[in-house]
Amino acid sequence: MPVTDETLKEIALSRAEYEAVVDRLGREPEPLELGLFGALWSEHCGYKHSKPLLKLLPSKSERLLVAPGAENAGAVDIGDGLAIVMKIESHNHPSAVEPRQGAATGVGGIVRDIFAMGARPIALMNSLRFGLPDKPRNRYLLHGVVAGISTYGNCLGIPNVGGEVFFAREYDGNPLVNAMCVGLIEEGRIVRAAPKSPGDIILLVGADTGRDGIHGASGLASRAFAEQAEMRSAVQVGNPFLEKVLIEACLEAIKLPGVVGLQDLGAAGLTSAAIEAAARGNMGLRIDVARVPRRETGMTPYEVMLSESQERMIIIVKPGQEGPVIDTFSKWDLDATPIGEFVNGHEVTIMDGSRQVIATPVGPLTEPPMYEFDAPEPAGLRAIQNEDLAALPLPRQSAGHILLRLLGSPNIASKEAVFRQYDHQVQTNTVVPPGGDAAVLRLKGTPKGIALATDGNGRITYCDPYAGGAIAVAEACRNVSCTGATPIALTDGLNYGNPEKPSIQYQLRRSILGIRDACEALDVPVISGNVSLYNESADKAVFPTPIIGCLGLLARATTHCTVPFKAKDDVIVLLGAGKLSGDPAALAASEYLSLVHDRVAGLPKIDLFLESRLQKLCREAIAADLLRSAHDCSEGGLAVAIAESAILGGLGAELTIEIPDRWDAALFGETQSRIVVSVRKKDLARLEELAEAADVPALRLGTVSGRRVNFGSVCDVSLEAATNAWGHGFERSVSG
Amino acid sequence: MRFGIVVFPGTWSDVDCHHALEKVLGQQAEYVWHKDRDIDRFDAIVLPGGFSYGDYLRCGAIARFSPVMESVAAHAAQGKLVIGICNGFQILCEAGLLPGQLMMNDHLEFRCSWVNLRVENNETRFTHTARKGQVLRVPISHGEGNYTADPETIDELERERRILFRYCAEDGKVTPGANPNGSIGNIAGIMNERGNVLGMMPHPERCVETLLGGIDGAVILSSMFSPMKTPAKA
């Protein structure tokens, strides 16, 4: 029976893809088979537009234990017999439809990916993007998303140690909600998501299966947004308590001798969990849907296989050894139900009691078609990049006034109002809480610490996708280096529009190349990631937004550096620049350009070799205990970076450096590869020697002093006014 | 001293309390599953923070029916120590071992931050190593920490000096601005009539190491196992 366009649309397969299915099967697919293909060949599960590009990213590292894509998350060795597992994942589309549950289940999903590896989740971070907060809908999305993360994450007892919140018109109606989770495990104890031998039993544990979330993967996450208006039923509802007991029960169960593997049920539910595990183990499988515990009656095999009910895992157990596993789960008042087994051969057999519903080869299901592209530069991009920023008039407002406006901009102002809704201290490891360049956690039982940051600038990526990719990596690593930690692994969350459009293909490809080059220059691998495409509303794509999560390692958790100035008379030094330039090109894609001139334009740049030397210098200086504070220069430029160190330290700054005529570019330009540090007077010479040896320019800017942030007559604000603007700007902007 | 730390489904401060008591403060600590009834071997019981049973229905309302709670009541009746932290405080109120109730924070948001606590009574088994009126800096992390009780109960708590901690400003002044959740009288922690059961919303186990920002929590926890110079007055 020929399939209708309507059906294909529902499962998000193109006519050509359907024909490929028929070709590979040698027959028309059964309705359930078609559902499985729709899910597994969806962008969300199959990465058909991105996999060839993701292969470009460097993942080689002596520390690498689990390579990207091989399992639920990547893993690196951190010494002392320990490993870190980490991954970032998006939940953009569900959050756009139902922000609270969308964000909550996003947290739930990424946490399951981490403990599915056998690791104890030890930290969460979130990278959020919304449309401008002057629109009520965007405020509703912000508050819903934050409440969802707070409600779900806090219940799990995993500290949420920060991340970013950023607003731009281009995210109107399509917020980005990326969640990163980091787990800790003894090296050598990582659990795979695959069977070892035919006969291994599949136990389904956790929540009962309902009709929620059917077509979440193929429907919500894999098509353009205008079609999503009535898809609320495709959003799942989370139960954080169940997730918490599931974590404890699974981490207890994997210590049992008969347990072979663990896999979470995420996008496309049982379909993707079981079939991908079979593919990893190079086996077939047989599932009886009649044995799946359900929360509603009358569900068809199709619905059971494609349900995205949350808080479910499969645990793979040697036959005959299910008993102790089932007992462990029942200790936690959880059911563990055998629903099938892995078998010799390469066939997926789905039974409904004694009736065989389908028998389908694994290969075609798990090998979707791959789309490679090398789209040309879109028309119009040059015009954006070539915009003459020198022609911009200097603002009529004073530089001090502009500085206060920038400090109060919701993109720059303190996000305390968000972070205080997240428990960032539970597990008692948090040494540097959210709000700095990166969070720092100690690792109990070792002297070591880790630093975590997320970064990614859609505005820069819009102006130049290559630079955007490279700068996302550079900034995330710079944030981590500002604590003294060495970046050792990255996870990437790639958020773009509809990949069927050449302009989006260009953005995707170029920014991945930028990520690749930055990884190579900074010598840090990408160990896991996630791609979210079709982020569009009313046919308009979001800013292309690569988000990079960075893991850094500190030899001693006690030897780290933070953002606030520490003491009067310390010298403020800019590392990475030898002079303060007034070149307006530095305003490219800046917060200043957007906030004051309402433009997103220019050609952002980065010198990756300088970046690498700079970060290394910063880490060396911190290890030698030379730096009292270090702060990355990013949104808002030099003046904002200095003001933030002053505000957080409760100490003023007297800057004695000469400011060029084009003060806007000098103070608020966002030239990359710069770090504002402060040092004791007696250590200044040593820092300058280190900088010279590292071939990194260093510029004395002034001293920590007084109660003002003062750049001479050009720009002068009181510490109180700066603190007020920065401290309340966010709440002022987002409370309607 | 031998501490038993109760683990309910959904508890998460159990590990933090264990670490603080055993690794940092050098006491013996052991986990107690909520279905266990035998807790005779312990000198003190800790009901730690978390979301027992997801705090569905009402915070602590389901946990109080766990088998261990009968034993905790018996343990308290023997005059032995019980400390309920955060969710543990909520459970003690639900179980009737402490008066009053914790409602949703008045601003309706979860709040995780450092607060200042003024020690209102330093002649108790939980506070005797503190100075009178000492200000302790301790973190909170809760969505439902808004303490309330009827006026007679509050009067009684005041009269009997059973309010041990109030949220205050850095200088020790008890002000509305220092109240993070709307609690009556800025109440952060109370004890029972006999003086051996404490409930408090802030987390002393989170601040026993300088690396994590402060050690004032050790004042409270170490009061529990340090000998008292003068007998406690409730």
Side-chain angles (χ1 to χ4, degrees):
Chain A
M1 183 186 74
V3 70
T4 62
D5 288 346
E6 187 79 350
T7 304
L8 287 180
K9 195 174 169 192
E10 196 175 318
I11 55 168
L13 281 185
S14 69
R15 180 61 66 178
E17 286 167 340
Y18 173 74
E19 277 157 16
V21 169
V22 175
D23 187 47
R24 291 206 213 164
L25 287 178
R27 58 177 167 81
E28 295 280 335
E30 299 290 327
L32 173 57
E33 285 179 312
L34 198 54
L36 302 191
F37 276 103
L40 292 169
W41 284 21
S42 68
E43 187 59 45
H44 199 74
C45 295
Y47 290 90
K48 57 196 172 192
H49 287 97
S50 51
K51 210 177 234 172
L53 288 173
L54 295 175
K55 285 192 184 138
L56 296 170
L57 296 176
S59 62
K60 281 214 183 81
S61 159
E62 285 175 0
R63 297 181 179 277
L64 189 74
L65 296 172
V66 177
E71 298 285 341
N72 285 297
V76 281
D77 185 347
I78 55 164
D80 291 311
L82 296 172
I84 291 280
V85 175
M86 77 167 182
K87 191 181 177 188
I88 195 164
E89 198 164 78
S90 62
H91 235 213
N92 304 337
H93 297 97
S95 303
V97 179
E98 211 295 284
R100 197 179 170 110
Q101 290 300 335
T105 53
V107 172
I110 191 64
V111 167
R112 281 196 300 281
D113 275 336
I114 299 306
F115 75 82
M117 307 274 295
R120 162 73 59 184
I122 59 164
L124 283 166
M125 278 197 152
N126 299 98
S127 190
L128 311 178
R129 305 289 184 279
F130 299 95
L132 294 178
D134 53 357
K135 279 197 184 168
R137 172 78 189 169
N138 293 329
R139 292 198 299 273
Y140 160 76
L141 290 172
L142 167 77
H143 294 303
V145 163
V146 170
I149 293 168
S150 165
T151 307
Y152 201 100
N154 293 341
C155 191
L156 299 182
I158 305 167
N160 189 322
V161 295
E164 321 130 80
V165 186
F166 184 91
F167 302 88
R169 211 171 282 134
E170 284 67 15
Y171 300 109
D172 255 359
N174 198 128
L176 303 184
V177 177
N178 284 214
M180 175 166 106
C181 186
V182 176
L184 182 67
I185 186 169
E186 280 174 48
E187 195 259 317
R189 292 200 158 265
I190 293 173
V191 179
R192 289 197 63 204
K196 279 214 176 96
S197 336
D200 286 353
I201 305 288
I202 304 169
L203 293 181
L204 181 62
V205 303
D208 290 346
T209 298
R211 286 198 173 92
D212 41 340
I214 291 169
H215 293 156
S218 57
L220 266 186
S222 301
R223 68 171 87 161
F225 203 74
E227 303 167 29
Q228 292 174 15
E230 290 307 320
M231 297 205 68
R232 198 176 299 249
S233 69
V235 180
Q236 318 82 344
V237 176
N239 177 349
F241 168 63
L242 191 52
E243 176 107 341
K244 166 66 177 161
V245 289
L246 200 52
I247 295 174
E248 301 305 331
C250 285
L251 293 183
E252 208 171 304
I254 55 168
K255 293 179 188 154
L256 296 168
V259 173
V260 170
L262 202 54
Q263 163 77 49
D264 82 298
L265 273 65
L270 194 51
T271 294
S272 111
I275 296 174
E276 284 172 9
R280 280 190 201 106
N282 200 21
M283 276 172 229
L285 70 88
R286 185 183 176 89
I287 286 178
D288 180 1
V289 293
R291 304 178 74 174
V292 173
R294 311 178 186 187
R295 71 167 72 118
E296 42 198 318
T297 53
M299 287 179 73
T300 63
Y302 186 100
E303 289 170 324
V304 172
M305 287 304 293
L306 288 167
S307 158
E308 292 190 8
S309 290
Q310 296 291 290
E311 292 93 20
R312 297 181 301 160
M313 306 281 289
I314 56 174
I315 184 156
I316 305 165
V317 184
K318 290 249 152 282
Q321 308 206 29
E322 305 94 313
V325 179
I326 293 171
D327 291 346
T328 301
F329 282 93
S330 69
K331 175 193 155 186
W332 290 94
D333 300 326
L334 292 172
D335 288 329
T337 313
I339 58 161
E341 62 192 357
F342 293 95
V343 297
N344 268 317
H346 299 93
E347 205 165 61
V348 177
T349 309
I350 307 292
M351 306 292 294
D352 186 5
S354 58
R355 180 176 72 91
Q356 178 176 311
V357 187
I358 55 163
T360 317
V362 173
L365 282 168
T366 54
E367 287 154 23
M370 287 294 149
Y371 299 113
E372 297 200 40
F373 39 78
D374 190 2
E377 185 183 298
L381 184 60
R382 267 314 143 82
I384 293 166
Q385 294 174 343
N386 290 345
E387 185 158 323
D388 183 11
L389 301 178
L392 285 174
L394 270 173
R396 261 183 249 151
Q397 290 178 317
S398 72
H401 192 97
I402 301 280
L403 174 57
L404 292 178
R405 273 180 72 189
L406 281 165
L407 287 170
S409 147
N411 286 340
I412 289 177
S414 167
K415 307 300 184 297
E416 173 73 23
V418 171
F419 298 145
R420 71 186 179 198
Q421 296 184 55
Y422 305 150
D423 188 336
H424 48 259
Q425 299 172 319
V426 64
Q427 300 191 14
T428 57
N429 296 317
T430 309
V431 175
V432 177
D437 282 342
V440 175
L441 280 80
R442 58 127 174 234
L443 297 171
K444 287 190 186 108
T446 82
K448 286 179 182 163
I450 56 169
L452 300 169
T454 65
D455 217 306
N457 186 318
R459 233 163 15 208
I460 293 177
T461 315
Y462 168 79
C463 290
D464 183 5
Y466 176 84
I471 288 171
V473 171
E475 282 209 24
C477 291
R478 199 186 309 138
N479 286 334
V480 158
S481 292
C482 281
T483 69
T486 307
I488 59 165
L490 305 178
T491 180
D492 63 335
L494 305 176
N495 304 270
Y496 297 79
N498 179 351
E500 293 153 35
K501 296 180 185 169
S503 61
I504 305 293
Q505 293 172 0
Y506 176 84
Q507 291 174 339
L508 193 55
R509 183 178 164 78
R510 288 294 294 166
S511 49
I512 287 176
L513 291 175
I515 294 172
R516 176 197 66 186
D517 289 356
C519 286
E520 279 168 2
L522 301 176
D523 193 22
V524 57
V526 173
I527 66 163
S528 60
N530 171 256
V531 182
S532 172
L533 303 176
Y534 300 95
N535 288 290
E536 306 208 343
S537 95
D539 209 31
K540 219 168 150 283
V542 297
F543 274 149
T545 311
I547 292 166
I548 301 292
C550 180
L551 165 72
L553 189 59
L554 270 170
R556 280 185 308 279
T558 46
T559 309
H560 65 264
C561 196
T562 57
V563 171
F565 288 143
K566 301 294 182 310
K568 191 171 170 296
D569 296 332
D570 282 353
V571 183
I572 304 167
V573 178
L574 181 64
L575 300 179
K579 67 179 178 68
L580 203 51
S581 155
D583 182 355
L587 293 171
S590 64
E591 178 72 16
Y592 164 84
L593 197 59
S594 169
L595 188 78
V596 177
H597 296 280
D598 196 21
R599 314 200 66 75
V600 176
L603 182 59
K605 287 183 212 150
I606 183 163
D607 173 348
L608 290 168
F609 299 102
L610 171 62
E611 182 72 41
S612 167
R613 297 195 302 272
L614 169 76
Q615 292 188 21
K616 195 154 171 282
L617 167 68
C618 183
R619 298 194 298 264
E620 276 174 11
I622 293 168
D625 197 22
L626 290 179
L627 302 189
R628 299 261 261 192
S629 71
H631 188 20
D632 162 38
C633 246
S634 59
E635 281 95 354
L638 179 69
V640 163
I642 292 173
E644 285 175 340
S645 286
I647 293 163
L648 285 163
L651 293 162
E654 289 288 333
L655 292 314
T656 46
I657 183 93
E658 196 174 319
I659 308 293
D661 291 344
R662 202 65 221 221
W663 52 260
D664 55 351
L667 295 174
F668 311 122
E670 296 182 13
T671 305
Q672 291 294 309
S673 310
R674 297 184 302 166
I675 297 174
V676 173
V677 303
S678 64
V679 290
R680 294 174 192 86
K681 257 187 195 153
K682 69 173 179 64
D683 291 331
L684 180 61
R686 250 190 90 204
L687 178 66
E688 286 174 339
E689 278 165 31
L690 266 189
E692 197 176 337
D695 192 19
V696 173
L699 180 67
R700 290 185 205 183
L701 297 174
T703 52
V704 177
S705 165
R707 301 290 303 163
R708 305 190 72 78
V709 177
N710 172 264
F711 292 84
S713 56
V714 178
C715 177
D716 181 28
V717 301
S718 75
L719 189 57
E720 199 189 340
T723 304
N724 187 18
W726 184 80
H728 301 293
F730 182 81
E731 276 182 287
R732 269 184 211 131
S733 306
V734 304
S735 43
Chain B
M1 185 174 255
R2 203 158 176 193
F3 286 84
I5 300 166
V6 178
V7 183
F8 299 94
T11 295
W12 42 236
S13 278
D14 46 346
V15 182
D16 300 353
C17 289
H18 196 278
H19 174 81
L21 288 166
E22 197 165 276
K23 291 273 167 12
V24 184
L25 300 172
Q27 304 303 301
Q28 280 181 285
E30 210 180 294
Y31 295 114
V32 179
W33 185 236
H34 73 115
K35 288 178 186 164
D36 292 349
R37 291 172 186 275
D38 180 11
I39 57 168
D40 283 349
R41 63 193 181 281
F42 300 110
D43 305 304
I45 290 293
V46 182
L47 301 183
F51 287 72
S52 57
Y53 292 97
D55 281 348
Y56 298 149
L57 186 57
R58 204 171 58 239
C59 300
I62 304 176
R64 84 156 184 100
F65 291 108
S66 278
V68 75
M69 287 308 295
E70 277 178 35
S71 311
V72 170
H75 172 98
Q78 289 169 42
K80 295 205 267 185
L81 293 175
V82 177
I83 179 171
I85 299 165
C86 195
N87 195 220
F89 185 12
Q90 296 160 342
I91 295 168
L92 288 172
C93 290
E94 286 289 335
L97 292 170
L98 288 173
Q101 189 62 251
L102 284 313
M103 303 191 300
M104 191 168 277
N105 296 347
D106 59 355
H107 46 72
L108 307 182
E109 278 182 5
F110 192 93
R111 188 65 80 243
C112 177
S113 60
W114 288 84
V115 296
N116 294 296
L117 301 179
R118 189 171 76 190
V119 178
E120 299 290 282
N121 179 350
N122 70 335
E123 296 170 302
T124 78
R125 293 166 75 183
F126 300 98
T127 53
H128 63 94
T129 61
R131 292 187 313 276
K132 197 175 178 194
Q134 186 174 347
V135 175
L136 304 175
R137 203 169 154 266
V138 181
I140 53 164
S141 182
H142 59 246
E144 303 184 43
N146 179 359
Y147 183 77
T148 190
D150 55 64
E152 295 74 35
T153 305
I154 299 290
D155 280 351
E156 192 182 304
L157 290 172
E158 296 273 8
R159 209 167 48 239
E160 296 176 359
R161 299 182 64 209
R162 286 162 52 197
I163 297 165
L164 301 202
F165 309 109
R166 284 185 214 268
Y167 301 108
C168 67
E170 256 174 81
D171 61 4
K173 285 206 182 85
V174 174
T175 61
N179 189 337
N181 52 31
S183 290
I184 290 186
N186 285 35
I187 291 175
I190 58 165
M191 65 178 185
N192 64 345
E193 287 171 89
R194 194 167 172 180
N196 65 325
V197 177
L198 166 68
M200 63 186 295
M201 287 314 295
H203 287 272
E205 80 284 2
R206 292 189 181 186
C207 52
V208 293
E209 294 169 274
T210 358
L211 182 61
L212 304 187
I215 55 168
D216 286 358
V219 172
I220 300 164
L221 296 177
S222 64
S223 288
M224 294 175 70
F225 56 79
S226 306
M228 289 184 79
K229 285 182 199 116
T230 49
K233 283 181 246 169

